[in-house]
Amino acid sequence: MIETSNLSKRYGPIAAVDGISFKVEPGQVLGFLGPNGAGKSTTMKMIAGFVTPTSGTAKVCGHDVETQPLEAKRALGYLPEGAPSYGEMTVARFLDFVADLRGLAGDGRKQRIGFVVEHLSLAGVMQQTIETLSKGFRRRVGLAQAILHDPRVLILDEPTDGLDPNQKHEVRTLINAMAKDRTIIVSTHILEEVHAVCNRAIVIARGRILADDTPEKLEARSRYHGAVSLTAADTGAAREALARIADVASVEIDPQDQRITAFPREGRSVFAAVSQVLREQNIAVSEVQLERGRLDEVFRSITRGAAAEARP
Amino acid sequence: MSNPIAIIFKRELASYFATPVAYVFIVIFLVLAGAFTFYLGSFYERGQADLYWFFFFHPWLYLLLVPAISMRLWSEERKSGSIELLLTLPVTMLQAVVAKFLAAWAFAGIALALTFPIWITVNYLGDPDNGVIFAAYIGSLLMAGAILAVGSCLSALTRNQVIAFVVTAVVSLLLLLAGHPMVINFIGTVLPQVLVDAIASLSIWTHFESIRKGVIDLRDIVYFALMIGFWVYASAVVIDHKKAD
């Protein structure tokens, strides 16, 4: 469990993190979203006990990170931003070093090292020094280090940055597999990742929480939520037909690919009406899609609103 | 092995030898120590079986070489970001600082120990006072420790290794010169004797000189212990303050 209360960090007059409070329970995978410089990493660094908060508290499994730092650190696995490690060490030695400091011994140690090596596909690079590895491998070594002691709480700062699509998929599968009874915070720029691994998302900008919801509910805030998009052979006719439907508020055409989107009136559903009209008027379409909402659009409108608000 | 200090110490010491830096350092140290002793100290020409000149030059040798060991202690951790990894593992700040300092000191100790052939040589050539030589080795090791502790603290202040090197060398120079006869005689002409003594007693030079002459005085040991303790503790304070900058 992770709990922060009014957590703040100031650098001189600048508030990097400004009174953030939230609670994450076991079983939750929390996605931290926000523009660069929003305070995501600083918040994670404070929970991990690396940056000292200016005010407020952070607790990991009930241990205050300032007054009981060792207990908090023992319960925590942390992948810092950029996955730093000791470049001159081989992967095997590095994992041994972390296992030593984590107090892993005997069969349990062998089993855990075997687990991370297998799940992060490190077997082929164990004897290579870390500085000779590609960015993707270094990231996976950082992840291996973070989950080595099978922590109850996991904080991962951009865990899939620099990985190729296959590796991203593997890491997401790994996070999902660990999610069951653990508390996990993941920060990311990649919005599709929120769907893939998170069951809760917090949007941060300028050091403040702007939204805290499930990914589905965040998507529902999008004006695209419930809209119907389609590609028709005769764009003009299709547009006219759709515009005549009572519950359709407006119809837009993407200037690039001529895709038509019909937006419903507030609280209405138009999918059935749209498909009926298409059938009745014999309009040929190559695809029809019910939009769930676009997270990137919600993200932009939330964070831009905050930027405008803060402007004097 | 479960003590964090021992674990970090082992990792650090191994990291010195993971790159050619360690070997280059040791070779340069041995060559310079030899050159100073044989040429500047006229080892053979003097015809005396002692290591007086060998140890005489140690403070100046350390001035150049010890900051080269200490400069990377924390600057590199901060620059590469590994400090964030280290300090979010279950270790305390003081454990990390002490372990890294001890590893650097052990490395300096290894370099110093490798000068043993000269001790053998002087025993082969004559009949030296081995007690004095042993004391001087202890003093030299303590002096290296003191300069390393200064360097540990100063390397925590910057992520630039060159700055760490230069500042450590300058501060160490001041700490040496404060007790050098030349300086003592000069400030003695303008300051009262009490102040001169106080300044001299803070100097690494004064305390190394007295041990080098073969007298291991408790006051000198206490001085080096306090110097090392103070600067290592100061390192922890500085890192705690600057780690995330």
Side-chain angles (χ1 to χ4, degrees):
Chain A
M1 197 184 76
I2 300 172
E3 193 176 358
T4 75
S5 164
N6 225 357
L7 200 60
S8 302
K9 180 67 190 178
R10 301 190 151 271
Y11 292 103
I14 301 155
V17 175
D18 192 3
I20 283 190
S21 305
F22 61 81
K23 192 171 174 181
V24 196
E25 304 281 358
Q28 283 190 329
V29 181
L30 172 67
F32 251 20
L33 308 176
N36 284 328
K40 301 186 299 273
S41 287
T42 308
T43 305
M44 293 178 136
K45 283 177 208 275
M46 285 194 280
I47 301 170
F50 182 62
V51 168
T52 313
T54 312
S55 62
T57 56
K59 283 182 184 170
V60 175
C61 292
H63 305 294
D64 188 299
V65 298
E66 280 187 278
T67 56
Q68 298 172 290
L70 284 183
E71 288 82 353
K73 285 172 185 174
R74 280 194 193 105
L76 180 80
Y78 177 49
L79 171 69
E81 189 180 12
S85 52
Y86 292 104
E88 82 283 355
M89 294 178 98
T90 63
V91 176
R93 278 179 189 276
F94 178 67
L95 292 179
D96 268 336
F97 169 66
V98 175
D100 281 338
L101 278 180
R102 291 289 185 190
L104 300 178
D107 285 345
R109 176 193 179 107
K110 264 188 218 155
Q111 187 257 322
R112 286 305 302 170
I113 291 181
F115 176 87
V116 298
V117 168
E118 189 199 325
H119 282 81
L120 292 158
S121 318
L122 294 173
V125 296
M126 288 299 274
Q127 299 310 320
Q128 250 177 278
T129 57
I130 294 170
E131 63 198 355
T132 64
L133 298 178
S134 68
K135 201 179 168 195
F137 266 118
R138 279 188 219 181
R139 183 76 34 157
R140 282 185 275 163
V141 170
L143 271 167
Q145 161 279 124
I147 63 171
L148 189 60
H149 57 302
D150 197 9
R152 280 177 292 157
V153 173
L154 202 52
I155 296 184
L156 307 173
D157 202 344
E158 299 188 354
T160 59
D161 189 37
L163 301 187
D164 68 34
N166 291 334
Q167 295 164 346
K168 275 183 187 157
H169 178 75
E170 280 166 35
V171 167
R172 286 170 192 167
T173 310
L174 186 65
I175 294 174
N176 282 329
M178 289 190 299
K180 215 180 83 193
D181 44 5
R182 291 187 188 78
T183 309
I184 304 180
I185 298 184
V186 177
S187 81
T188 182
H189 285 300
I190 310 161
L191 293 167
E192 59 175 90
E193 197 152 285
V194 178
H195 269 299
V197 297
C198 304
N199 47 34
R200 181 177 164 193
I202 283 184
V203 181
I204 299 183
R206 294 178 168 262
R208 292 198 188 149
I209 295 182
L210 299 179
D212 180 354
D213 226 325
T214 63
E216 291 72 28
K217 285 194 178 150
L218 275 182
E219 279 177 343
R221 297 186 185 194
S222 165
R223 67 190 191 100
Y224 281 92
H225 179 66
V228 179
S229 295
L230 54 88
T231 310
D234 183 352
T235 308
R239 180 192 183 141
E240 269 174 42
L242 291 177
R244 278 198 294 271
I245 298 173
D247 282 339
V248 169
S250 63
V251 179
E252 284 177 18
I253 298 177
D254 190 316
Q256 273 172 8
D257 56 6
Q258 299 296 307
R259 198 162 183 243
I260 307 168
T261 303
F263 293 94
R265 290 185 201 284
E266 187 128 358
R268 298 302 187 121
S269 163
V270 293
F271 190 77
V274 167
S275 47
Q276 195 187 346
V277 164
L278 293 178
R279 237 185 356 257
E280 283 172 0
Q281 309 200 4
N282 258 336
I283 297 171
V285 292
S286 51
E287 55 97 22
V288 182
Q289 188 196 2
L290 175 63
E291 300 264 1
R292 293 197 301 171
R294 295 184 185 174
L295 215 46
D296 57 344
E297 187 231 317
V298 175
F299 178 80
R300 272 199 305 274
S301 66
I302 292 174
T303 53
R304 275 199 190 144
E309 220 171 81
R311 223 170 276 143
Chain B
M1 195 160 64
S2 60
N3 183 348
I5 294 182
I7 297 163
I8 300 172
F9 173 85
K10 193 178 84 168
R11 195 212 77 76
E12 279 288 315
L13 193 57
S15 85
Y16 283 100
F17 293 96
T19 61
V21 177
Y23 304 99
V24 170
F25 177 88
I26 288 174
V27 167
I28 291 177
F29 176 76
L30 295 178
V31 167
L32 285 181
F36 281 176
T37 310
F38 287 97
Y39 294 102
L40 294 175
S42 313
F43 183 70
Y44 289 124
E45 293 82 348
R46 284 172 65 241
Q48 282 183 30
D50 62 33
L51 289 178
Y52 181 88
W53 290 101
F54 171 69
F55 287 110
F56 179 84
F57 289 112
H58 273 200
W60 309 113
L61 203 52
Y62 285 167
L63 200 56
L64 182 69
L65 292 177
V66 171
I69 306 178
S70 68
M71 67 180 185
R72 55 176 290 286
L73 268 176
W74 289 100
S75 311
E76 196 168 271
E77 293 262 2
R78 285 184 55 194
K79 196 171 179 202
S80 74
S82 54
I83 186 171
E84 189 170 354
L85 176 86
L86 180 63
L87 296 179
T88 52
L89 287 165
V91 298
T92 67
M93 176 72 72
L94 208 55
Q95 284 169 342
V97 171
V98 168
K100 282 177 74 81
F101 165 76
L102 287 178
W105 200 10
F107 177 68
I110 290 170
L112 182 62
L114 288 174
T115 62
F116 73 91
I118 202 160
W119 195 353
I120 294 175
T121 306
V122 79
N123 269 287
Y124 175 76
L125 293 173
D127 185 21
D129 184 340
N130 282 319
V132 173
I133 294 176
F134 179 74
Y137 264 111
I138 297 290
S140 180
L141 187 61
L142 287 171
M143 177 168 62
I147 299 177
L148 275 174
V150 171
S152 163
C153 181
L154 296 174
S155 101
L157 280 167
T158 172
R159 55 181 74 201
N160 185 321
Q161 297 198 14
V162 177
I163 294 175
F165 176 89
V166 172
V167 176
T168 304
V170 169
V171 171
S172 306
L173 180 66
L174 292 177
L175 280 170
L176 279 176
L177 285 183
H180 193 275
M182 229 163 58
V183 177
I184 294 288
N185 291 339
F186 172 72
I187 58 175
T189 60
V190 286
L191 289 178
Q193 193 57 38
V194 192
L195 273 179
V196 174
D197 287 349
I199 292 172
S201 71
L202 283 175
S203 165
I204 294 176
W205 178 279
T206 316
H207 296 277
F208 174 62
E209 279 298 288
S210 77
I211 299 180
R212 184 167 79 87
K213 287 172 183 139
V215 190
I216 298 186
D217 189 320
L218 186 63
R219 279 172 302 181
D220 299 319
I221 303 291
V222 168
Y223 166 81
F224 280 113
L226 285 177
M227 272 290 277
I228 291 171
F230 170 80
W231 287 98
V232 168
Y233 185 75
S235 311
V237 173
V238 168
I239 294 160
D240 202 32
H241 196 68
K242 307 247 329 173
K243 60 190 175 184
D245 289 3

